[in-house]
Amino acid sequence: QVQLQESGPGLVKPSQTLSLTCTVSGGSITANYYSWSWIRQPPGKGLEWMGAISNSGTTYYSPSLKSRTSISRDTSKNQFTLQLSSVTPEDTAVYYCAGAKGRIVAVTSKRSDYDYWGQGTQVTVSS
């Protein structure tokens, strides 16, 4: 059974870079027809897809966040990471990592489009 677990600091200061790691167990992030995404939910708002990395390492980003977002992976640790630069209080949210099976990389925020979800981690941007 594939499981995902987010980790990283819960508090980040404005203008700093937010860094989160998703550790995947029970399956390989390089397995064919899998993609891995970061999705967030600000308080009182809906889910927002931020970006994804395919099993081959190709990255995809939300146009609205592309200039500040970077997704990478460490295949030896079966992890993928999110970096979001120049954060502001508007970046306060619960951040989720998620995995999807399929020939097409999932680039949506629709929960049912994903097969696996982490439990989510609260990140607050505040001085």
Side-chain angles (χ1 to χ4, degrees):
Q1 181 179 358
V2 177
Q3 294 184 319
L4 284 69
Q5 179 66 57
E6 305 91 349
S7 60
L11 180 64
V12 182
K13 295 183 184 299
S15 80
Q16 291 187 341
T17 296
L18 179 163
S19 294
L20 295 174
T21 296
C22 183
T23 301
V24 180
S25 60
S28 172
I29 62 172
T30 62
N32 285 339
Y33 309 128
Y34 277 82
S35 61
W36 309 94
S37 287
W38 286 99
I39 297 163
R40 68 180 182 179
Q41 186 167 24
K45 298 184 179 180
L47 294 171
E48 178 184 21
W49 177 80
M50 301 180 69
I53 187 165
S54 73
N55 67 298
S56 63
T58 303
T59 52
Y60 305 81
Y61 298 108
S62 166
S64 64
L65 295 170
K66 185 175 183 179
S67 64
R68 299 195 292 132
T69 306
S70 178
I71 296 175
S72 60
R73 66 180 185 172
D74 185 335
T75 56
S76 67
K77 296 180 179 179
N78 215 36
Q79 297 175 332
F80 62 103
T81 62
L82 169 74
Q83 290 193 311
L84 181 67
S85 64
S86 304
V87 297
T88 71
E90 291 187 348
D91 293 310
T92 294
V94 177
Y95 285 75
Y96 298 94
C97 57
K101 293 186 294 186
R103 290 181 177 272
I104 298 175
V105 173
V107 295
T108 76
S109 58
K110 188 176 179 182
R111 186 172 286 273
S112 61
D113 284 346
Y114 296 88
D115 299 277
Y116 312 107
W117 286 81
Q119 64 182 20
T121 187
Q122 173 70 46
V123 178
T124 300
V125 179
S126 175
S127 56

